[in-house]
Amino acid sequence: MQRRDFTKNLMASAGLATLSAPLAMASETKTSANAPFKLKYAPHFGMFANSAGKDEIDQLKFMHEMGFRALEDNGMMGKSPELQTKIGETMAKLDMTMGVFVVGFDNWPLSTSLTSGDKGWRDKFLASCKGAVETAKRCNAKWMTVVPGNYDRRIPMGIQTSNVIESLRRGAEILEPHGLTMVLEPLSDTPDLFLRNSDQTFMICKAVNSPACKILFDMWHMQRNEGRMTQNMDWCWEEIAYFQIGDEPGRNEPTTGEVNYKNLFKHIAQKGYTGVLGMEHGNAFKGKEGEMKLIEAYRQSDI
């Protein structure tokens, strides 16, 4: 080969390499931006409606495209059986995991419900557990949220606790044969609520003594009610089956408040948790731009 031809070929190769490098970097950036998150964060319907539109199946596909591999939907039991089935089938195709839906059996949670020992409330709860089994089959769910309700101030605390335990045992008898788990959620919405702390919920789960009754550790509620989250997680770990997310104050995505979610996610992962972390919070910023900021906040906080 003549020197002139060799130089020409070398320059062409260098030009091709220079041209291809940005393309490769762009491809790598796109892949990285949409890669699956390390943990199973679960958005809910409506969280990305500005980007994906109002159709729930389109929203599911958008979530998957953005790297999310789970969904939670508190209102799943209120959807038609046809839509529940369609959601379940779509998630199966996308290899996504269904998170919690709520077992609603009264004007939840604004009543005395299970704490009173009233047979009417217990029967409503058990009927809803039976309905939850059918919903779970259609959407491939495993976990469902249960809230016992409010204090009944006419009854001693120990008696209320026993009433709750007995109802939950009966509910567990319905769910356990199907491999389903109700997750009890201590809440911070009002001091009238019966279930407020992780240690209290741990004790109740121990008393129910069933794999169908575990703890939903909502980190927003627990930050407000008790703090010391990694310590309380460790104490209650063997009964925790599900986590939910929300920064405080504001109950929006991580990085918008005072909670160090990067550290919490790392702690949860190091404990060996591979389940779902529900994104039960709002969007701190509006519109499509706000939705992209939310996704970026999870990229920053992911392990």
Side-chain angles (χ1 to χ4, degrees), residues 132-149:
V133 170
E134 299 307 311
T135 296
K137 288 178 182 177
R138 288 189 283 265
C139 65
N140 300 321
K142 180 180 179 181
W143 307 276
M144 50 225 60
T145 305
V146 168
V147 175

Side-chain angles (χ1 to χ4, degrees), residues 71-87:
L71 167 80
E72 71 172 25
D73 179 21
N74 285 343
M76 182 66 79
M77 286 190 75
K79 291 180 167 57
S80 69
E82 294 76 18
L83 182 54
Q84 292 171 0
T85 301
K86 190 174 183 181
I87 290 170

Side-chain angles (χ1 to χ4, degrees), residues 95-236:
D95 195 24
M96 295 177 71
T97 301
M98 181 65 206
V100 293
F101 61 83
V102 170
V103 178
F105 56 97
D106 61 356
N107 56 335
W108 176 100
L110 304 176
S111 75
T112 55
S113 57
L114 301 183
T115 58
S116 66
D118 180 80
K119 184 178 183 299
W121 285 123
R122 182 172 293 170
D123 288 346
K124 286 182 181 180
F125 167 63
L126 298 178
S128 291
C129 286
K130 292 175 182 177
V133 170
E134 299 307 311
T135 296
K137 288 178 182 177
R138 288 189 283 265
C139 65
N140 300 321
K142 180 180 179 181
W143 307 276
M144 50 225 60
T145 305
V146 168
V147 175
N150 281 6
Y151 287 111
D152 189 324
R153 299 185 185 280
R154 303 166 299 170
I155 304 174
M157 185 64 174
I159 303 301
Q160 292 185 69
T161 302
S162 297
N163 290 337
V164 169
I165 290 168
E166 181 58 28
S167 289
L168 295 176
R169 283 176 175 170
R170 298 277 300 280
E173 290 173 358
I174 295 170
L175 301 174
E176 188 173 335
H178 301 277
L180 304 178
T181 302
M182 57 179 155
V183 283
L184 310 182
E185 183 178 14
L187 300 172
S188 64
D189 302 274
T190 163
D192 290 327
L193 286 158
F194 170 79
L195 201 61
R196 290 182 53 81
N197 294 95
S198 59
D199 66 317
Q200 175 197 18
T201 315
F202 179 83
M203 181 272 294
I204 290 172
C205 288
K206 286 294 185 184
V208 175
N209 192 28
S210 168
C213 183
K214 297 294 179 181
I215 298 172
L216 191 171
F217 196 103
D218 185 316
M219 292 177 275
W220 179 71
H221 287 299
M222 294 301 89
Q223 170 70 1
R224 285 155 55 93
N225 279 359
E226 60 187 27
R228 299 188 72 196
M229 280 196 277
T230 56
Q231 177 64 81
N232 285 311
M233 285 178 194
D234 289 349
W235 277 331
C236 298

Side-chain angles (χ1 to χ4, degrees), residues 226-251:
E226 60 187 27
R228 299 188 72 196
M229 280 196 277
T230 56
Q231 177 64 81
N232 285 311
M233 285 178 194
D234 289 349
W235 277 331
C236 298
W237 189 260
E238 64 187 76
E239 296 296 331
I240 296 175
Y242 198 95
F243 287 93
Q244 285 182 327
I245 303 162
D247 215 340
E248 168 64 19
R251 200 177 190 178

